Amino acid sequence: LSQELCQFFGKLVGSAVRHNLTLAIDFSALLWRSLVKSPLSLAHLETVDSLAVKHIQEVISTGLIAEREARLNNKDLMSEEYLKHVPSTWAELDFTAYMPDGSKVELIPGGEGRPVTMGNWREFITLLERCRLGESQAMFKVFRTGLSAVLPTQLLSLFTSLELEEIVSGNSKVDIDLLRQCTEYDDIDPDSEQVANFWRVLEEFTNDERTSFLRFVWARSRLPTSVQDFPMNFKLQGPQGAAKENKSGDLYLPHAQTCFFSLSLPAYSSYEIMRDKILYAIHNSPNMDADVRLHSAEGWDA
């Protein structure tokens, strides 16, 4: 069942790419590099299992230090006594590995009970690294099979892993300059202080706050990667309804329509008030408009 779901997920991701939709999914570097057939290393394993990498590095460090001390003491590194020596920190190690699901596997036939010694620790490290880097390859292969039902996966090697990640997942950093290039203005002067304050607010937001803003106005967490990929422009509008009729825009919150990627901005009296109102709106909006019920922020007291 899990393989069927993984294959279906591959088809889903492929369909999203076909329709130029970015998915806010943070896959590991292991998957991206496997898809483009790039080599894997401990640095990539560390992105998903830092403890495993720390364990491997500790074994390497212990082995190198022991070898250096042996040379300083003029010991024969090829002697049977030295090759069978087990440092105290390796006392519980053998040629086995624990997988993420808690299962224990042998790195070689009969590996359980075979101690890690000064004569074989490099072999142990090589086998352990290979095991951990390849532990998800079976599922990656199933995912690729699903992906190949929609996309020509034989061409994926033309891309780097980072390029493929951006095609599928977009950029997790919200580019305000890109958003500004794809903005149109309705009933509001693009050269006004009001608009200048709005862009200043977004520029000074953290990336998490920018992501929350994007969810508020578009129900998405990531922007397309280029101007050409925008299915519609962001529409910044002047005050609407009661916020337009009332002289004091400070009484109202901004109002978003996610289906139309638009934001109605009341005429706030200062940058500070605008920032506070936008922050309140993006952190307290209960639902996407029209998905459950029509939601209007106009008239809310903040």
Side-chain angles (χ1 to χ4, degrees):
L1 179 61
S2 60
Q3 289 195 355
E4 291 177 0
L5 290 174
C6 189
Q7 188 176 46
F8 172 76
F9 186 51
K11 294 178 181 178
L12 188 66
V13 171
S15 297
V17 174
R18 277 283 189 185
H19 291 84
N20 204 27
L21 299 174
T22 54
L23 301 174
I25 301 175
D26 294 318
F27 289 133
S28 72
L30 296 178
L31 174 61
W32 298 121
R33 295 185 68 83
S34 296
L35 288 174
V36 299
K37 298 183 178 181
S38 292
L40 302 174
S41 69
L42 285 181
H44 307 118
L45 177 61
E46 191 172 17
T47 62
V48 295
D49 196 339
S50 59
L51 291 179
V53 173
K54 182 179 179 182
H55 169 61
I56 292 173
Q57 291 173 338
E58 287 174 348
V59 174
I60 294 174
S61 177
T62 299
L64 294 176
I65 290 174
E67 286 183 351
R68 185 169 64 249
E69 291 178 349
R71 290 191 181 93
L72 291 175
N73 294 324
N74 296 318
K75 289 185 177 180
D76 183 4
L77 301 187
M78 299 304 295
S79 67
E80 185 175 354
E81 178 185 2
Y82 174 79
L83 293 176
K84 291 184 177 180
H85 174 64
V86 179
S88 59
T89 56
W90 296 355
E92 298 182 2
L93 293 182
D94 58 14
F95 276 67
T96 60
Y98 284 96
M99 308 306 283
D101 62 0
S103 62
K104 188 178 183 180
V105 299
E106 290 186 327
L107 299 177
I108 55 174
E112 187 168 11
R114 180 186 178 186
V116 178
T117 68
M118 290 305 300
N120 64 22
W121 69 269
R122 283 185 170 83
E123 179 189 4
F124 169 74
I125 288 299
T126 299
L127 292 172
L128 180 57
E129 182 177 341
R130 185 185 304 163
C131 174
R132 296 309 308 271
L133 287 174
E135 65 193 14
S136 300
Q137 290 304 312
M139 294 305 289
F140 290 169
K141 185 177 181 180
V142 174
F143 176 83
R144 186 186 182 93
T145 299
L147 200 64
S148 65
V150 185
L151 298 176
T153 52
Q154 66 272 20
L155 300 180
L156 294 183
S157 57
L158 296 175
F159 301 92
T160 67
S161 59
L162 292 178
E163 288 171 341
L164 181 60
E165 180 179 4
E166 187 164 313
I167 291 171
V168 175
S169 300
N171 194 327
S172 59
K173 294 184 178 180
V174 179
D175 188 342
I176 298 303
D177 289 335
L178 178 61
L179 180 62
R180 193 197 296 260
Q181 292 178 53
C182 299
T183 298
E184 59 184 67
Y185 301 89
D186 180 20
D187 198 26
I188 189 170
D189 183 0
D191 298 320
S192 66
E193 182 180 3
Q194 186 82 343
V195 171
N197 284 339
F198 169 74
W199 291 115
R200 178 186 168 194
V201 168
L202 293 190
E203 287 168 354
E204 295 183 0
F205 272 177
T206 65
N207 193 64
D208 286 343
E209 289 170 338
R210 292 178 181 182
T211 301
S212 296
F213 172 80
L214 198 58
R215 287 197 182 100
F216 176 64
V217 299
W218 205 16
R220 298 188 184 189
S221 60
R222 301 190 181 187
L223 289 173
T225 55
S226 67
V227 173
Q228 293 77 15
D229 293 331
F230 272 72
M232 64 179 74
N233 285 335
F234 170 52
K235 181 179 290 187
L236 185 60
Q237 300 174 311
Q240 306 290 317
K244 185 175 183 179
E245 297 171 2
N246 196 315
K247 293 183 179 180
S248 179
D250 295 348
L251 299 174
Y252 302 90
L253 290 171
H255 173 55
Q257 291 181 295
T258 55
C259 293
F260 302 104
F261 193 15
S262 66
L263 180 71
S264 174
L265 197 65
Y268 297 118
S269 60
S270 69
Y271 161 81
E272 290 75 18
I273 292 176
M274 179 185 291
R275 187 178 190 279
D276 289 344
K277 295 290 186 179
I278 293 177
L279 277 175
Y280 186 90
I282 65 178
H283 291 313
N284 293 277
S285 179
N287 54 259
M288 264 187 355
D289 74 287
D291 275 5
V292 181
R293 59 182 174 81
L294 289 177
H295 167 65
S296 174
E298 294 178 1
W300 283 15
D301 291 327

